[in-house]
Amino acid sequence: MKKKMMIGIPTKDHPDYIRFYLSEILPEAEKEKIDVWIYDSSSDDATQEIVGKKAKRYANLFYKRLPKNIPYWKKLRYIFVESGYDYVWLCGDGIVICLDRCMDIIREEISKNRDLIVFDNAGRARDIEMHDIVSLAENCLETMGVYGHYIIRGNLFTVEEWEYFERKYPDWMHIGPCFEKLATEKINAVCVKCNFYKPNYYKKNATWVTGGRVFDVMENWIKAIKSLPDLYNPMKQMFIDRYISHYTTTDFLWLWRMDGNLDYSIALRHIRLVYGLGYRGKKYCCIVVFISLCPKIIADLLCTIYGSKLFMYK
Amino acid sequence: MEKNKRLCGLFFVIILIMLFVLKEMVNCLFKAKDTIEAEAVHVGSLDRYYNLFEHWIEVKNRGSNAADYFRKNNFKEIAVYGMGRPGCLLCNELKDASDVKVKYAIDKNISARKHIVDLRKLTDDVIPVDAVVVTPVTAFDSIKAELEKKFDCPVISLESVIYDL
């Protein structure tokens, strides 16, 4: 591949994830001349040691140590702004990309000078070229919310722009800036149907779930969507409703109750969000409040039987 | 009056039966929960071995094998803990390596003296080796703690070997 591409993996205290991830992707990445960067804010040196060992064998592996208290979305600056590559691929350490499955497609699409290549492994029957940002948002915004689902031009943002976006889209820096910046340009994007990843077996629970931040993240999603430029106005409510309704089905509410993401004080703190669920009827709001008061042992039982616990807590 | 008494008795018996059924149903639900969770752990363990073996095959397709890890780390004589499928595969893979030797295997449950390689029990005297490889990867932490009491050499997981290749 003539154009230089990098895979950027932000991580924190997940040495097992990184060991598995690197062992899966490095041989293929080396063959394809793709650089792999690890942005690590761990509280110990285990990840650094693993990367150091691998780096002796693979010259395309690089490591950057970051302060341990840096928020995860602040790490994205190093990938999107400071990398200096033609194309950047932000990947989470919990989803392993299978380069052998998708490199032919990536090479072909990069040769067409795409600004953005989105991977979608569900729902769509075929690849779709997109030159209109609104239609791109309509089709791909939620898909792009998951780390790893897109490759983007590496020179899209300036340092000043990024600082502005950091204030505007905390938690959602991998979505907001792309859609705000690309709205000002004529875009050359494609959404390809491609089963490009497999789960990292070592992945346990996401920190936004174990840290009791589920409702905060939902609030931030609402803020991020509302902060998008006006041309997305017709779709904003749809994005909010779809996201919130996905994580607030009764199955999930029992799970949030069981793991400490939902109690009466949290329900009160996020009352606007809970009340916003009124589009499902007021009865639904009563269910949220009822679940928030239920004993955790009952919640644990129900979320296990419903399957939501096994889905989120693999 | 007599009829009312009998009705009350019947009502009481029905309530008792309903309470008993309810209690059994709740017990049943909690048992179902335990079963689901146990199965999930089992599936998780199979998944872990599936990934390990998948990666092992990929490594072999690239022309590498487990002996490369031991060469790289200068482990010439090793012991293998656990002679289930992964342990046997590892011993067979290292059989032809000229510079890495499986000196013996350790297994709690096999009574034979030899199975691919010499077998020893954890209670037997320690014969020094350069490293011990633990093949039951899902129980690595507890086995490592046990082995470290007896062995001075590094105790490593089979996953470390395969994922480092």
Side-chain angles (χ1 to χ4, degrees):
Chain A
M1 196 157 60
K2 283 180 190 158
K3 295 196 173 166
K4 285 288 283 174
M5 189 168 102
M6 65 96 83
I7 293 168
I9 307 170
T11 187
K12 183 182 173 72
D13 294 328
H14 291 154
D16 284 347
Y17 294 27
I18 292 296
R19 186 183 59 183
F20 179 72
Y21 205 117
L22 293 179
S23 65
E24 288 285 324
I25 64 163
L26 279 174
E28 195 70 20
E30 186 186 42
K31 206 168 81 186
E32 298 291 342
K33 297 188 171 54
I34 296 171
D35 288 347
V36 178
W37 278 83
I38 305 292
Y39 298 94
D40 178 27
S41 57
S42 298
S43 49
D44 61 25
D45 296 333
T47 305
Q48 189 169 9
E49 280 166 21
I50 287 168
V51 178
K53 270 189 193 171
K54 293 274 184 192
K56 283 181 194 161
R57 159 75 182 79
Y58 294 97
N60 60 328
L61 175 62
F62 303 94
Y63 176 86
K64 187 168 181 65
R65 188 70 185 247
L66 298 169
K68 63 181 175 190
N69 55 355
I70 188 172
Y72 67 94
W73 47 270
K74 285 249 183 196
K75 296 179 192 170
L76 305 197
R77 149 194 295 267
Y78 300 99
I79 298 169
F80 288 115
V81 187
E82 295 178 6
S83 71
Y85 287 81
D86 298 319
Y87 283 94
V88 295
W89 192 353
L90 162 69
C91 292
D93 56 10
I95 292 178
V96 180
I97 50 176
C98 303
L99 287 173
D100 52 340
R101 288 188 206 163
C102 53
M103 268 323 292
D104 291 341
I105 298 171
I106 293 171
R107 248 184 265 117
E108 190 188 324
E109 295 302 337
I110 283 179
S111 72
K112 293 176 186 167
N113 290 321
R114 301 289 189 198
D115 298 307
L116 180 70
I117 304 162
V118 183
F119 299 106
D120 190 358
N121 61 336
R124 223 171 297 286
R126 58 190 171 81
D127 300 353
I128 308 174
E129 282 205 23
M130 287 177 209
H131 301 286
D132 166 32
I133 188 68
V134 176
S135 119
L136 177 79
E138 198 172 349
N139 284 284
C140 302
L141 186 137
E142 287 141 315
T143 305
M144 287 168 65
V146 182
Y147 277 18
H149 278 66
Y150 67 91
I151 296 173
I152 197 163
R153 239 172 54 209
N155 59 354
L156 199 62
F157 306 103
T158 64
V159 175
E160 295 75 29
E161 281 170 343
W162 196 259
E163 279 167 4
Y164 163 72
F165 290 139
E166 277 185 342
R167 288 190 295 274
K168 200 170 173 187
Y169 299 106
D171 267 344
W172 296 98
M173 285 301 287
H174 55 300
I175 291 199
C178 296
F179 281 94
E180 182 152 348
K181 185 68 198 279
L182 290 172
T184 61
E185 300 182 2
K186 188 175 184 319
I187 58 157
N188 176 16
V190 66
C191 179
V192 293
K193 185 170 173 59
C194 177
N195 185 11
F196 71 98
Y197 74 89
K198 64 178 178 185
N200 187 332
Y201 171 72
Y202 292 91
K203 183 170 167 48
K204 298 270 169 13
N205 313 322
T207 41
W208 61 279
V209 175
T210 52
R213 293 187 59 239
V214 166
F215 280 82
D216 294 325
V217 170
M218 282 194 253
E219 293 271 16
N220 284 346
W221 170 261
I222 294 172
K223 265 186 226 159
I225 294 298
K226 285 185 174 167
S227 305
L228 286 172
D230 290 344
L231 82 160
Y232 299 107
N233 279 352
M235 288 166 278
K236 284 181 181 175
Q237 197 54 45
M238 177 188 78
F239 292 139
I240 292 170
D241 290 350
R242 282 211 297 231
Y243 184 84
I244 302 297
S245 60
H246 177 72
Y247 286 108
T248 52
T249 56
T250 340
D251 314 6
F252 272 106
L253 288 175
W254 286 115
L255 178 68
W256 306 144
R257 174 67 192 128
M258 183 277 297
D259 64 10
N261 275 296
L262 177 64
D263 58 30
Y264 194 61
S265 67
I266 291 174
L268 278 182
R269 204 165 68 235
H270 297 282
I271 193 69
R272 272 192 320 160
L273 175 69
V274 173
Y275 190 73
L277 299 172
Y279 66 86
R280 288 169 166 178
K282 281 183 185 151
K283 192 175 137 200
Y284 187 82
C285 296
C286 297
I287 292 174
V288 177
V289 175
F290 172 74
I291 292 176
S292 73
L293 292 167
C294 247
K296 283 190 178 180
I297 188 168
I298 303 289
D300 189 15
L301 171 70
L302 289 173
C303 68
T304 306
I305 289 174
Y306 278 132
S308 51
K309 188 177 178 184
L310 299 180
F311 177 74
M312 292 298 287
Y313 288 73
K314 286 183 177 151
Chain B
M1 189 69 181
E2 189 65 24
K3 197 180 169 190
N4 279 350
K5 261 188 189 172
R6 238 184 285 150
L7 273 176
C8 277
L10 188 65
F11 183 69
F12 185 68
V13 169
I14 289 171
I15 293 286
L16 276 181
I17 291 170
M18 281 171 72
L19 280 175
F20 176 75
V21 170
L22 190 68
K23 182 179 164 273
E24 284 303 301
M25 281 172 73
V26 169
N27 278 346
C28 187
L29 279 174
F30 277 97
K31 267 189 189 159
K33 173 183 169 278
D34 292 344
T35 309
I36 291 169
E37 283 178 338
E39 284 302 312
V41 170
H42 181 59
V43 169
S45 150
L46 291 178
D47 205 12
R48 195 160 169 179
Y49 279 110
Y50 173 85
N51 276 301
L52 183 71
F53 290 138
E54 187 195 37
H55 193 77
W56 203 339
I57 293 169
E58 274 171 23
V59 165
K60 287 182 84 72
N61 286 343
R62 292 202 299 263
S64 188
N65 80 25
D68 295 343
Y69 172 89
F70 300 107
R71 261 179 228 123
K72 198 171 70 181
N73 290 285
N74 208 21
F75 297 143
K76 291 188 173 69
E77 289 184 330
I78 61 161
V80 172
Y81 183 96
M83 283 304 275
R85 280 312 289 157
C88 292
L89 286 171
L90 180 65
C91 290
N92 278 327
E93 179 144 324
L94 296 175
K95 214 162 52 180
D96 299 328
S98 55
D99 46 354
V100 181
K101 189 185 169 201
V102 180
K103 207 164 180 184
Y104 56 91
I106 307 161
D107 199 298
K108 280 179 181 169
N109 304 320
I110 291 182
S111 51
R113 278 176 34 232
K114 193 168 167 74
H115 176 67
I116 308 176
V117 291
D118 288 337
L119 282 175
R120 296 177 66 80
K121 289 200 162 147
L122 201 53
T123 46
D124 295 344
D125 290 338
V126 169
I127 299 175
V129 282
D130 297 325
V132 183
V133 183
V134 177
T135 59
V137 292
T138 50
F140 175 66
D141 291 336
S142 59
I143 294 170
K144 187 184 180 196
E146 202 177 346
L147 289 174
E148 277 178 343
K149 287 179 199 157
K150 298 196 78 172
F151 288 85
D152 295 327
C153 61
V155 176
I156 45 183
S157 156
L158 179 61
E159 284 177 326
S160 298
V161 175
I162 300 302
Y163 292 138
D164 259 13
L165 290 167

